[in-house]
Amino acid sequence: MNGQGNDLDLLLAGARDEIQPSAALMERVLADAAALQPRVMPVRAAPPSRGWLAGLFDVFGGSGAVAGMSAVTAAGLFLGFVQPTSLSSLTEALQGGTEVVENMELLPADGLLWAGE
Amino acid sequence: MNMARDTLAEVSDEALVVLYANGDPDAARLLMQRLLPRVLSYATRMVSDRAEAEDVAQESMLRLWKIAPEWRQGEAKVSTWLYRVATNLCTDRLRARQRRRAVALEDAPEMPDGAASAVAGLIARQRLDALQAALDSLPDRQRQAVVLRHIEGWGNPEIAQVMEIGVEAVESLTARGKRALAAALSGQRAALGYDEEDEAP
């Protein structure tokens, strides 16, 4: 039995050679691996910072909007200081004259309170 | 996250699975090179059919690719897990084959030719064919235990993990399987080129 047992051990040992997979099988396995491999999104560098002024412009709608607001502000200041005649005439026409109410009695005179004395 | 292949060669199977899940293109090829020949050899000895064994090996690797994103290092060895999957797939195929009642010894796999002479190669081939036929005659669980222990060279604790049984049950299965193998081959010693006089008294 020993000889037979040794023969069996030799036979089993001789069967240990790995069976090499065919090229077709390896291709199929790699194709499966490629199809099932999770996709990792590449990490992109953040765009360079444009500074605090650009950020401030963005708050007001961009540099174009800020330029427009600046122009209107300058025009308003100009008109306020210079007060062109034509603009004054227009203002008078809209307000119906140049009279200005300076005082208005919203409470009756305090003499009314002492009328009974 | 791509690592140089020289570096990957020293990485464990478990780490390669994680690298594969992280998108490393070389990890899958290395895992395949390490594991596919082993699982193919095991499946071939289990199902005795090269085409079926290739299907089992491919399906086992497919399940590894699928589970890779959820792989937790330290819980199990990749090879143990893969052999367990292959064992279950082989068992399913053997049961299906039994249901079809189509077991045929001529389905024995093609074994690689040795570099020895043609006659020696023929004898070696006959011996391997006889061994495969004897393995096929064993009950499934005995065959699994014998192949894992005596051909794949695994230890009993690892076989217990693969077969999901206790170590004592593995010892019992391998012992009974080896006795049955010896009995199945006992009448073929002369035909297989073993000298009867070699047998000890």
Side-chain angles (χ1 to χ4, degrees):
Chain A
M1 185 64 193
N2 283 343
Q4 192 173 349
N6 290 339
D7 290 342
L8 181 55
D9 287 337
L10 288 174
L11 193 55
L12 289 166
R16 282 180 193 154
D17 291 340
E18 283 183 348
I19 297 173
Q20 291 307 308
S22 64
L25 175 60
M26 289 193 286
E27 280 181 19
R28 292 203 300 273
V29 170
L30 285 179
D32 289 342
L36 291 169
Q37 187 164 32
R39 297 283 176 262
V40 178
M41 296 296 290
V43 178
R44 287 189 296 184
S49 173
R50 294 181 299 146
W52 66 271
L53 195 58
L56 185 63
F57 282 8
D58 287 343
V59 170
F60 292 104
S63 56
V66 172
M69 286 193 295
S70 301
V72 168
T73 304
L77 284 172
F78 174 77
L79 293 173
F81 278 111
V82 175
Q83 292 193 348
T85 309
S86 56
L87 188 61
S88 299
S89 303
L90 177 62
T91 306
E92 288 172 8
L94 290 173
Q95 291 181 345
T98 57
E99 295 175 6
V100 176
V101 177
E102 293 181 350
N103 289 315
M104 182 180 288
E105 290 289 339
L106 296 178
L107 288 173
D110 56 353
L112 188 64
L113 297 174
W114 311 106
E117 290 186 10
Chain B
M1 181 174 171
N2 301 338
M3 296 177 69
R5 298 201 66 177
D6 290 345
T7 309
L8 283 179
E10 299 169 3
V11 173
S12 69
D13 294 345
E14 292 72 31
L16 280 177
V17 170
V18 174
L19 284 172
Y20 165 79
N22 288 339
D24 191 301
D26 290 331
R29 181 174 293 277
L30 266 173
L31 278 169
M32 182 197 71
Q33 288 172 348
R34 288 184 189 180
L35 300 172
L36 186 60
R38 295 174 62 188
V39 77
L40 175 64
S41 302
Y42 174 61
T44 303
R45 288 171 190 123
M46 290 301 300
V47 299
S48 295
D49 182 280
R50 179 61 181 261
E52 277 199 270
E54 287 199 352
D55 288 346
V56 167
Q58 185 181 357
E59 177 66 23
S60 302
M61 296 300 292
L62 184 78
R63 294 191 185 189
L64 178 62
W65 308 139
K66 282 183 179 175
I67 203 170
E70 300 158 30
W71 189 268
R72 283 177 289 187
Q73 289 200 72
E75 286 201 354
K77 287 180 68 179
V78 173
S79 54
T80 305
W81 182 90
L82 196 66
Y83 269 70
R84 188 185 304 156
V85 170
T87 298
N88 292 336
L89 291 171
C90 288
T91 302
D92 291 344
R93 286 176 177 268
L94 290 170
R95 285 177 182 160
R97 188 187 294 173
Q98 284 168 356
R99 282 196 295 271
R100 293 196 304 269
R101 299 176 184 280
V103 178
L105 288 179
E106 57 267 28
D107 284 344
E110 288 183 20
M111 295 294 177
D113 290 335
S117 68
V119 174
L122 187 62
I123 291 174
R125 172 67 185 269
Q126 284 176 333
R127 289 176 177 175
L128 290 175
D129 287 350
L131 175 63
Q132 187 63 53
L135 283 171
D136 291 347
S137 70
L138 298 182
D140 291 348
R141 301 292 276 174
Q142 281 186 24
R143 180 160 65 250
Q144 289 166 10
V146 168
V147 169
L148 288 170
R149 180 73 185 87
H150 294 291
I151 297 181
E152 302 296 326
W154 287 51
N156 287 344
E158 289 79 22
I159 298 172
Q161 287 181 16
V162 169
M163 297 183 68
E164 297 177 286
I165 56 176
V167 174
E168 289 183 359
V170 172
E171 291 170 354
S172 172
L173 281 171
T174 49
R176 280 186 285 143
K178 201 174 176 189
R179 279 199 300 273
L181 263 189
L185 292 167
S186 62
Q188 305 178 56
R189 288 174 53 79
L192 295 176
Y194 292 114
D195 189 349
E196 294 287 347
E197 293 177 359
D198 287 348
E199 190 167 347

